């Protein structure tokens, strides 16, 4: 996944592609799928990068 904090996808409304969840975490959703692949770099407990 990406660790680029300047990348800010659109809010999640069930669309495919990169989304920003209400928690602030980023995730990717494939077209036709409800499953999310979470960007671990934006997880609430992720260590800040230097």
């Amino acid at each position: 996944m990406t660790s680029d904090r300047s990348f800010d996808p659109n809010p999640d409304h069930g669309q495919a592609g990169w989304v920003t969840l209400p928690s602030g975490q980023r995730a990717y959703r494939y077209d036709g799928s409800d499953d999310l692949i979470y960007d671990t770099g934006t997880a609430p407990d992720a260590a800040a990068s230097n």
Side-chain angles (χ1 to χ4, degrees), residues 23-49:
S23 66
Q25 188 174 11
R26 294 181 302 217
Y28 187 85
R29 180 182 289 117
Y30 285 100
D31 191 29
S33 175
D34 290 333
D35 296 331
L36 292 169
I37 300 169
Y38 295 92
D39 179 357
T40 57
T42 62
D45 59 347
S49 61

Side-chain angles (χ1 to χ4, degrees), residues 7-22:
F7 173 61
D8 190 21
N10 292 328
D12 180 27
H13 296 290
Q15 75 273 25
W18 282 103
V19 297
T20 300
L21 304 175

